[in-house]
Amino acid sequence: MPKKEVKYLGVTIDKGRTFGSHVQKICDKAERTAAALAKLMPNIGGPRQQKRVVMARVVESGMLYAASIWADAVQIGRHRERLLKAQRKMTLRIASAYRTVSTDAAGVIAGVLPMDLMVEERRECHMSVQRGMEVKEAKKVSRERAHAKWQERWNASTKAAWTRRLIPEIDKWLGRRHGEVCYQTTQFLTGHGSFGAYLHRIGKRRQEDCIYCAGRDTPEHAIFACERWTEKRAQMNIQLGVVVTPENFIDLIVESESAWKIIMGTVEAIIRRKERDMRET
């Protein structure tokens, strides 16, 4: 009896050559590996972001094996979603994010290109080299096109509105040569964390109110408006010589390492204290 699928040089080829079985197998393996690595990367007290990225590359490289051969599979919605789901656990760990953070936001904060776009990038690069383009140039062109598609997807996202407000341009965020996110700063970037509005939404608090003042407790309120942190904000703004707002946030933090340390240091200090105070109320 003819087999429904066969494995050849590490690639599972099914009868219809949709490569659905291959996607399923690599995703299952990726999730097992990600689960094992996740134990080494707790959000609190785990390794820094750069080390998290290195560990995540283990999962990524396994998923991308022979990607140019089975790349057509990402055109099928269920296969594309399966790849993104398998990648999600690692992007959450890289970003030190809550599990409730959207896949879109986690990927941008972690700086990880969505897996389906990685697959398409590999195929496009391979085809360009076959047509005679230099490898270095082929990689550059395919990466630029992948990032353009990523930006379009980010612009059209119906999720992560606060993150998109802070980081509207992905390449600007990724282009910085300094700065790593941590558990506290990612809470601010996503709005998922020690904020009354979020905790109320997930049923952890009865009200959305700030524990310090009468405002609705959102990341924007906590960092940019709460009366409790007036002095800290003033010190931050004086050091930078400009008033930090959600609209100029991205330009300031990518401009220099010193600006990153001042702004993100202030954010981290506020949220750390806020976490402690909320536990005590």
Side-chain angles (χ1 to χ4, degrees):
M1 179 180 292
K3 293 184 178 181
K4 292 184 178 180
E5 60 184 52
V6 62
K7 190 171 184 178
Y8 181 69
L9 296 179
V11 178
T12 301
I13 305 172
D14 56 85
K15 187 177 180 180
R17 281 186 276 185
T18 65
F19 294 100
S21 294
H22 181 75
V23 170
Q24 183 66 49
K25 290 178 187 300
I26 63 171
C27 287
D28 288 344
K29 183 178 180 180
E31 289 181 345
R32 290 194 299 271
T33 305
L37 290 175
K39 295 177 181 179
L40 304 176
M41 298 187 286
N43 284 342
I44 302 174
R48 293 173 55 184
Q49 186 183 9
Q50 287 185 346
K51 291 184 179 180
R52 292 170 182 266
V53 171
V54 171
M55 285 190 260
R57 291 286 183 259
V58 175
V59 178
E60 182 182 295
S61 61
M63 294 180 72
L64 289 171
Y65 175 74
S68 59
I69 296 174
W70 54 268
D72 284 342
V74 302
Q75 303 304 316
I76 301 174
R78 67 178 183 278
H79 298 333
R80 180 170 60 251
E81 292 304 315
R82 189 74 182 83
L83 288 165
L84 294 174
K85 180 183 177 183
Q87 184 188 38
R88 172 180 165 79
K89 180 171 288 188
M90 295 311 300
T91 56
L92 288 173
R93 288 298 180 175
I94 292 171
S96 298
Y98 276 52
R99 287 180 295 176
T100 51
V101 171
S102 71
T103 299
D104 292 347
V108 169
I109 293 170
V112 177
L113 185 69
M115 182 55 64
D116 62 313
L117 297 182
M118 284 189 188
V119 172
E120 290 182 357
E121 178 189 8
R122 286 288 182 95
R123 176 174 61 177
E124 184 175 321
C125 181
H126 178 74
M127 292 175 65
S128 295
V129 171
Q130 285 190 321
R131 289 193 293 264
M133 185 181 290
E134 293 290 334
V135 174
K136 185 176 181 179
E137 181 65 16
K139 287 183 177 180
K140 179 176 180 294
V141 171
S142 57
R143 175 50 57 102
E144 288 175 351
R145 289 178 179 170
H147 274 232
K149 292 178 181 178
W150 190 11
Q151 183 66 54
E152 289 177 5
R153 186 178 295 183
W154 184 233
N155 293 342
S157 177
T158 58
K159 301 178 180 179
W162 171 246
T163 307
R164 282 186 287 111
R165 184 178 172 191
L166 293 175
I167 310 174
E169 299 175 52
I170 296 174
D171 281 346
K172 184 176 287 188
W173 169 256
L174 299 183
R176 71 187 194 280
R177 296 181 176 274
H178 55 265
E180 295 179 307
V181 297
C182 67
Y183 180 58
Q184 284 75 28
T185 54
T186 292
Q187 288 184 51
F188 164 66
L189 292 172
T190 62
H192 290 229
S194 301
F195 307 105
Y198 169 74
L199 295 173
H200 174 73
R201 188 167 75 247
I202 64 173
K204 295 292 186 179
R205 287 191 68 192
R206 292 184 179 180
Q207 298 178 326
E208 298 180 311
D209 296 353
C210 174
I211 62 173
Y212 305 115
C213 64
R216 179 172 178 264
D217 190 20
T218 64
E220 181 173 9
H221 169 79
I223 304 302
F224 299 108
C226 182
E227 296 174 1
R228 172 68 175 81
W229 312 112
T230 299
E231 185 176 341
K232 276 193 174 296
R233 279 195 300 275
Q235 292 174 349
M236 174 179 68
N237 294 335
I238 289 171
Q239 286 180 285
L240 293 167
V242 63
V243 175
V244 183
T245 68
E247 282 64 43
N248 66 13
F249 167 81
I250 185 67
D251 290 326
L252 291 171
I253 63 170
V254 302
E255 182 180 338
S256 68
E257 185 173 6
S258 61
W260 174 284
K261 288 180 178 179
I262 292 169
I263 296 172
M264 291 305 217
T266 300
V267 168
E268 184 177 351
I270 288 173
I271 293 181
R272 281 187 183 277
R273 181 56 186 268
K274 197 167 183 294
E275 287 176 323
R276 190 180 76 182
D277 291 347
M278 291 183 83
R279 285 195 296 267
E280 294 175 354
T281 57

